[in-house]
Amino acid sequence: MIAGAVRDDAVPRRWRRALRQTGGFLRASRLNALGAGIVAAVVLLAVFGRALAPHDPNHLDLLAALKPPSSAHWFGTDNLGRDLFSRVLAGARISVEVAVIILGLSVAFGTLLGIVAGLVGGLLEEIVMRVTDLFLAFPAFILAAAIAATLGPSLNHTVLALAVVFWPWYTRLARGQVLALREREFVLAARVAGAGTMWIVLRHLLRNVLPIVVVQVSLDVGYAMLATSALSFLGLGAQPPTPEWGAIITDGRSFIQTAWWWPTFPGIALAVTVLGFNLLGDGLRDWIDPRLRGSLGGLQE
Amino acid sequence: MLSVRDLVVRFSTGRGVVHAVNGVSLDVEPGGTLGLVGESGSGKSVTSLAIMRLLPRGGRVVSGQVWFGGRDLLRLSAAEMRSVRGREIAMILQDPQSSLNPVLPVGEQIEEAIRAHERVSRPAARARAVELLGAVGIARPEEQLGRFPHQLSGGMRQRVMIAIALALRPTLLIADEPTTALDVTVQAQVLELLRDLTDEVGAAVVLISHDLGIMARMAGRIAVMYAGRVVESAPTEELFARPRHPYTVGLLRSIPRIGGARRALVPIEGSPPDLERLPEGCPFAPRCAWRIEACWTQNPSLATDDGPAHLVACHDPAEPEEVGPGRPIRPGFAPAPPPGIRAGVA
Amino acid sequence: MSATLLSVEALRVHIPVTRGVVLRRTTGVVRAVDGVTLDVREGETLGLVGESGSGKTTLGRAIVGLVPPTAGSIRLRGVEVSTLSGRGARRARSELQMVFQDPFASLDPRWPIARSVEEPLRLHRAGDRRERRERVLELLELVGLSRRMADRYPHELSGGQRQRVGLARALALRPALVVADEAVSALDVSIQAQILNLLQRLQEELGLAYLFIAHDLAVVHQISDRIAVMYLGQIVELSPGVDLYREPMHPYTVSLLSANPVPDPSVEAARERIVLPGDPPSAAAPPPGCRFHTRCWLRERLGDPEICRTLEPLLREVGPGRSVACHFADEAAASPVTRRAVDLAGGRA
């Protein structure tokens, strides 16, 4: 009975803690709140954007071509008369999806490989780390462009190319953490209690590596979106008529003299989104660092 | 020579204000050794950093004075303070590993310390460095000049730190847990050295330590700190023989001793207070076996007791016969309950 | 005399030192533990004293199975545990538990403390969830923590409270021996005394044996029935605690006692101190002969006998329950230097 009572109490306690911490993060700096606000808006628009859009993003209306911003078309229209506001909203969804897939792939692969390398050590670790060195020695964007060009222009290939560029960072990060954690006394204590390698990885290491990975992800999201748009801008990524921000900017580039709104609004959307993720990532990093040091020890007098 | 008056230091963190030092007054006599004893969070290190005006980020002196050589150090310009540091007041920290620059040979670091304050040629500074390393008991000093800190043992590094600290014959040396990171046998060497050299230079010493054994050996006078205040201060012999503050009594009954029959330890119950939320009354009251009602509401100030040299901040100090048992032995005495409970609010 | 619980025989733990990244090669061996033999009896506390690099931590870790021995045996009630593997090893080792030094590092910062205490029970599939929970709460109470703290996180606790949690975790599997490695040395004195008293109370209630590893002689004296002194991977003296401090027989023990600061100014003022020259040599290249001879104060006084530099002294029995590894143990015990060093009759308070 008593055990049950205490247990029930534990859940709200954990939630309260989470809420308190979120509040603390948002209050720690105005930029944190700004970053979180932008990210929240972008994610909401990605989910509900299509429903909110006044027009079909791919609907052609040649009579309304190259119209400046107005109450009917907030961001104006392009040379085929497509509503740019609707296209930018649709683009938000593409950017978020692309970022989620790129980072999902590279985090899953990279983190796991890093943990295994750090734990197993020896020759395997040696090989894995040299391979990451090899990847990291290339300029990341050039490498991604080369891979995307080799595979052929398409949004899927761009995503794959960027995932290939991102994973080694997560491998290094995870391995470094594991090397530091595996000699920690709480890991030794688990071993003395009879824990095997899998237990230690799943219950101790993953949970302690994760917050640091999350911070890195939030810093990388903006970069992944920017890189996707840049590759699309170069013609290697999204193909017409996909309303990807980079692709819209490319199309509108030659019209900048006559229809300034065409490349400008997707450009602003891209810039603000990337800024939002960077602010959030920086804020998270600064906020989590001293806390990690505190909770992982070493902050005695 | 050094006289700290009503020093108050606070730290602002993202989440609140830490009341690290709450009105500390100290006096150090020329050539004397003052021991600052206290547990983690007692404010002993922060006090020393405030004297040196080297508080870490977020910390600031709210009020108080630090008189040294006829000046209030807290009012000096940054440039004036720089010339006081190193030349007149030197400091040795607990971890010699992080106080030395890892990428410079130790010889160069000693020369730098000299040349920062005195206009001497490089060869002359070098000769002084050799002499100093010899004086701190490092064998073949010429050969050691070119070595890097990581090539030296912990004891050797602390000797180098002592050489740097005493290079300019300061009049005051602040040593913050100088031997805590060292093994017992090496600790004995370093303490011996520290005492001989400060005697020779004629420097006064503020020695910060949690170890009462080291204090008994080194200090002429001891100030016991708790929650950012000095709770008791007396000449060393007197403090050990007739401790008055219940916290001092508790400390003395908490340390295991060698020699004689083994006796049960009498620990101090509970843990030190949260410096972000200090209680209204005496900060030691919740852990104190001697507390009376006043302790919950009034924070006692440091006042003389048992003669002018013995100061204690307590409403109800321990009697001499209570020191042995480590608890009050007056008939019918019980520690006063917290005011809330007495009023039946629980 | 109670039965032998743990017996360690001729134990060696040699740790290779490697260099190079791609072509890894062994450049040397640290003889962290180099031929240690000792027993721990049921329900007793064996203190293990030594300075950094003496191998005391490695010895403790080898006993609980964290470090594989290079040679020698570790037997628990006669059963060899160092070569067991799989389930048998796990069950045998559940009787050997450990408490660590750093209360800030020994608990997973992302787990509520109840989960840390429960971990050994889950690993050994002891009971169902509710039974385990009940046992965790009992354990917390046993070490003097309130049940309400069960769902707190380590950073919400003080150092002393965390060390109590570490102790509760070590007791979860009802061990026969707990290895406490510097378990109180990171704590403030007032908290240290609480934990020492707790350890003694638990020993009486549960019949535990401790291997209590520490560098602080006074702390070891407070809690130990017998004390072993280690220097460079070997035991140099092993005695009942009282004898060790009254009449030490190894020059190294004498110098440790002499260096240990005593919290009594009158004793400190009157004491004569043996200041050992230099630092302990490296365990990667221990000196030949007696390992202590490079720093020994007695050797000089005896006119530098050659045997100290050439022949390694064995740990030999010199009295009931007393062993010492010194060619000149009698001379060491009888030396006036020893007399003065141990004359700590003070310690008034």
Side-chain angles (χ1 to χ4, degrees):
Chain A
M1 266 325 280
I2 296 166
V6 177
R7 191 76 226 168
D8 293 341
D9 191 49
V11 179
R13 196 183 148 74
R14 193 175 296 177
W15 280 100
R16 275 205 304 275
R17 200 173 97 100
L19 270 177
R20 205 170 54 230
Q21 292 193 346
T22 312
F25 169 71
L26 294 180
R27 271 196 302 275
S29 155
R30 273 183 206 160
L31 292 179
N32 288 357
L34 181 63
I38 294 173
V39 167
V42 170
V43 170
L44 284 177
L45 287 179
V47 176
F48 301 111
R50 265 174 218 249
L52 293 173
H55 302 273
D56 178 340
N58 289 328
H59 176 73
L60 306 182
D61 182 2
L62 291 173
L63 291 176
L66 291 176
K67 287 276 187 283
S70 65
S71 57
H73 301 286
W74 291 359
F75 289 179
T77 60
D78 64 10
N79 62 342
L80 299 175
R82 290 176 292 197
D83 178 46
L84 281 169
F85 180 63
S86 304
R87 287 181 70 74
V88 168
L89 280 184
R93 178 178 207 136
I94 295 177
S95 285
V96 170
E97 274 176 3
V98 159
V100 165
I101 297 170
I102 292 172
L103 291 166
L105 287 175
S106 43
V107 166
F109 182 71
T111 307
L112 214 62
L113 201 60
I115 291 179
V116 171
L119 264 185
V120 175
L123 191 62
L124 177 78
E125 182 183 13
E126 209 58 57
I127 293 171
V128 169
M129 294 330 286
R130 293 300 80 81
V131 172
T132 64
D133 282 346
L134 204 65
F135 274 90
L136 296 176
F138 282 101
F141 188 73
I142 309 278
L143 180 62
I147 295 171
T150 313
L151 295 174
S154 102
L155 192 56
N156 289 347
H157 291 160
T158 300
V159 167
L160 203 63
L162 286 172
V164 167
V165 169
F166 271 111
W167 72 266
W169 295 98
Y170 290 94
T171 303
R172 307 224 106 195
L173 190 69
R175 171 183 165 266
Q177 288 298 314
V178 168
L179 289 188
L181 287 167
R182 87 179 165 186
E183 293 303 315
R184 295 299 292 259
E185 291 183 344
F186 68 84
V187 173
L188 296 181
R191 283 175 57 196
V192 173
T197 306
M198 273 320 273
W199 176 280
I200 287 170
V201 170
L202 293 178
R203 314 213 175 229
H204 290 291
L205 297 186
L206 263 183
R207 288 183 66 124
N208 279 288
V209 170
L210 224 53
I212 291 154
V213 169
V214 165
V215 170
Q216 188 60 42
V217 166
S218 63
L219 285 166
D220 281 349
V221 167
Y223 186 69
M225 288 179 172
L226 202 58
T228 310
S229 289
L231 288 174
S232 297
F233 183 80
L234 293 176
L236 293 168
Q239 299 302 312
T242 316
E244 202 280 332
W245 289 339
I248 304 176
I249 297 171
T250 316
D251 293 343
R253 186 180 40 155
S254 43
F255 290 86
I256 192 151
Q257 304 277 347
T258 49
W260 58 269
W261 56 88
W262 187 355
T264 301
F265 285 109
I268 291 174
L270 182 62
V272 169
T273 306
V274 171
L275 178 73
F277 277 101
N278 284 351
L279 286 178
L280 181 71
D282 279 339
L284 275 179
R285 186 189 52 204
D286 291 350
W287 185 72
I288 221 165
D289 262 3
R291 284 180 60 84
L292 275 182
R293 262 182 265 128
S295 62
L296 292 176
L299 253 192
Q300 289 163 273
E301 192 190 23
Chain B
M1 65 161 323
L2 175 77
S3 181
V4 178
R5 285 288 160 268
D6 305 314
L7 187 70
V8 177
V9 180
R10 288 185 193 144
F11 282 85
S12 315
T13 66
R15 269 160 288 175
V17 177
V18 176
H19 296 255
V21 176
N22 306 305
V24 162
S25 297
L26 297 168
D27 289 286
V28 185
E29 282 159 32
T33 298
L34 174 72
L36 274 187
V37 190
E39 301 182 284
S40 37
S42 62
K44 54 193 195 302
S45 293
V46 176
T47 301
S48 70
L49 291 172
I51 293 171
M52 291 295 267
R53 291 199 14 208
L54 291 173
L55 286 174
R57 238 170 85 179
R60 74 203 151 87
V61 174
V62 175
S63 60
Q65 295 124 37
V66 177
W67 294 99
F68 178 77
R71 301 153 295 176
D72 182 356
L73 294 185
L74 299 179
R75 290 168 190 274
L76 295 187
S77 70
E80 288 170 321
M81 191 62 210
R82 265 199 303 280
S83 84
V84 170
R85 273 186 225 126
R87 177 191 287 272
E88 294 176 67
I89 308 181
M91 196 162 189
I92 303 174
L93 300 172
Q94 171 174 347
D95 182 9
Q97 175 85 67
S98 58
S99 342
L100 287 167
N101 185 338
V103 297
L104 283 184
V106 293
E108 216 164 293
Q109 301 194 44
I110 301 174
E111 290 164 36
E112 228 172 52
I114 298 168
R115 282 161 61 89
H117 292 282
E118 283 177 21
R119 300 179 132 264
V120 289
S121 68
R122 270 192 166 274
R126 193 163 193 84
R128 284 267 292 282
V130 171
E131 194 185 311
L132 281 163
L133 283 182
V136 296
I138 289 180
R140 301 184 307 281
E142 298 86 356
E143 291 168 36
Q144 311 292 344
L145 285 179
R147 301 183 77 182
F148 290 91
H150 71 266
Q151 295 171 310
L152 304 175
S153 68
M156 296 265 271
R157 281 195 292 260
Q158 201 58 296
R159 285 166 189 272
V160 171
M161 284 311 298
I162 293 175
I164 291 176
L166 297 178
L168 296 156
R169 303 188 149 255
T171 45
L172 177 67
L173 175 72
I174 299 178
D176 188 354
E177 303 270 6
T179 57
T180 305
L182 307 177
D183 278 324
V184 201
T185 56
V186 180
Q187 167 178 297
Q189 302 164 4
V190 171
L191 288 177
E192 210 97 327
L193 177 74
L194 198 60
R195 183 156 62 184
D196 292 350
L197 286 182
T198 49
D199 278 357
E200 196 188 309
V201 175
V205 180
V206 175
L207 178 67
I208 298 171
S209 176
H210 65 280
D211 188 327
L212 285 161
I214 290 178
M215 284 300 167
R217 181 187 301 181
M218 304 285 290
R221 183 180 181 88
I222 294 177
V224 182
M225 290 189 66
Y226 187 80
R229 289 166 54 93
V230 174
V231 295
E232 184 162 14
S233 163
T236 303
E237 286 279 347
E238 164 87 8
L239 189 90
F240 279 91
R242 281 176 294 280
R244 296 281 282 153
H245 197 283
Y247 177 64
T248 315
V249 174
L251 278 186
L252 287 169
R253 293 296 287 112
S254 289
I255 23 174
R257 286 151 202 266
I258 299 172
R262 195 156 71 185
R263 36 195 305 193
L265 302 177
V266 185
I268 305 171
E269 296 307 326
S271 359
D274 180 351
L275 295 175
E276 286 182 36
R277 276 179 290 275
L278 280 177
E280 183 191 348
C282 171
F284 188 62
R287 304 175 74 186
C288 184
W290 277 265
R291 65 179 176 240
I292 55 177
E293 271 177 39
C295 301
W296 289 109
T297 51
Q298 292 158 32
N299 200 350
S301 49
L302 197 62
T304 53
D305 179 277
D306 270 8
H310 197 152
L311 305 173
V312 62
C314 185
H315 292 305
D316 183 26
E319 297 302 329
E321 64 275 13
E322 294 170 334
V323 172
R327 60 185 166 75
I329 49 169
R330 307 156 207 180
F333 181 83
I341 288 181
R342 205 173 12 175
V345 191
Chain C
M1 193 173 291
S2 46
T4 300
L5 174 68
L6 179 88
S7 72
V8 173
E9 252 183 74
L11 189 76
R12 283 173 210 279
V13 182
H14 292 183
I15 299 161
V17 184
T18 56
R19 188 173 278 174
V21 186
V22 181
L23 295 170
R24 203 163 288 189
R25 56 199 182 277
T26 305
T27 54
V29 164
V30 173
R31 298 153 173 248
V33 177
D34 207 17
V36 164
T37 297
L38 57 79
D39 290 338
V40 183
R41 300 176 194 134
E42 301 265 7
E44 81 161 345
T45 300
L46 177 66
L48 190 59
V49 198
E51 297 182 281
S52 51
S54 62
K56 56 191 196 299
T57 291
T58 308
L59 175 59
R61 290 189 175 184
I63 289 172
V64 296
L66 280 176
V67 185
T70 311
S73 76
I74 302 169
R75 286 198 297 269
L76 180 71
R77 298 201 181 95
V79 179
E80 177 67 47
V81 291
S82 64
T83 52
L84 280 180
S85 60
R87 188 160 297 171
R90 224 210 251 179
R91 186 159 318 131
R93 290 213 186 102
S94 72
E95 289 212 70
L96 301 171
Q97 290 297 315
M98 188 155 189
V99 180
F100 294 87
Q101 168 172 8
D102 185 354
F104 292 84
S106 58
L107 299 173
D108 191 325
R110 315 221 152 255
W111 282 14
I113 58 166
R115 229 181 130 189
S116 286
V117 178
E118 192 193 0
E119 184 176 32
L121 300 171
R122 282 169 69 194
L123 282 163
H124 289 263
R125 307 210 156 90
D128 64 20
R129 220 173 124 150
R130 271 187 56 185
E131 287 164 359
R132 287 201 305 264
R133 178 80 186 177
E134 195 46 45
R135 172 91 177 116
V136 166
L137 296 176
E138 267 171 32
L139 283 162
L140 289 178
E141 279 184 343
L142 184 66
V143 298
L145 292 172
S146 98
R147 287 174 170 241
R148 282 173 301 140
M149 293 187 138
D151 296 301
R152 299 234 176 122
Y153 285 81
H155 71 88
E156 298 173 282
L157 269 54
S158 69
Q161 289 170 332
R162 285 183 231 202
Q163 206 55 314
R164 288 173 195 263
V165 176
L167 197 52
R169 173 179 58 197
L171 297 177
L173 298 172
R174 304 177 201 276
L177 174 72
V178 172
V179 175
D181 185 6
E182 299 279 11
V184 299
S185 49
L187 304 173
D188 279 323
V189 266
S190 68
I191 309 297
Q192 186 176 45
Q194 294 175 5
I195 302 292
L196 285 173
N197 283 359
L198 173 66
L199 285 169
Q200 277 168 331
R201 196 196 82 211
L202 290 171
Q203 180 162 52
E204 281 159 28
E205 286 176 17
L206 307 173
L208 288 171
Y210 295 125
L211 178 63
F212 190 89
I213 303 173
H215 67 279
D216 186 324
L217 293 167
V219 168
V220 171
H221 172 254
Q222 180 68 27
I223 196 164
S224 306
D225 301 305
R226 294 187 301 144
I227 295 171
V229 181
M230 267 187 99
Y231 187 77
L232 282 185
Q234 297 181 332
I235 290 179
V236 296
E237 182 162 8
L238 196 147
S239 272
V242 189
D243 296 346
L244 188 85
Y245 291 105
R246 278 204 194 123
E247 30 180 70
M249 298 187 73
H250 195 286
Y252 178 61
T253 314
V254 176
S255 46
L256 278 183
L257 281 171
S258 163
N260 185 56
V262 175
D264 187 329
S266 52
V267 174
E268 282 295 328
R271 271 174 98 190
E272 208 176 314
R273 210 170 292 284
I274 308 166
V275 175
L276 287 184
D279 295 290
S282 153
C290 171
R291 294 188 176 191
F292 185 58
H293 86 260
T294 54
R295 300 174 80 203
C296 185
W297 53 270
L298 182 65
R299 193 171 62 100
E300 270 170 44
R301 279 161 219 258
L302 297 175
D304 196 5
E306 204 192 328
I307 188 171
C308 298
R309 278 177 285 127
T310 52
L311 187 68
E312 189 170 314
L314 298 175
L315 193 67
R316 63 195 161 95
E317 193 148 333
V318 290
R322 305 202 55 179
S323 324
V324 59
C326 175
H327 297 302
F328 299 99
D330 292 332
E331 285 82 350
S335 164
V337 175
T338 303
R339 291 271 48 87
R340 285 197 295 270
V342 298
D343 201 16
L344 313 174
R348 253 176 313 204

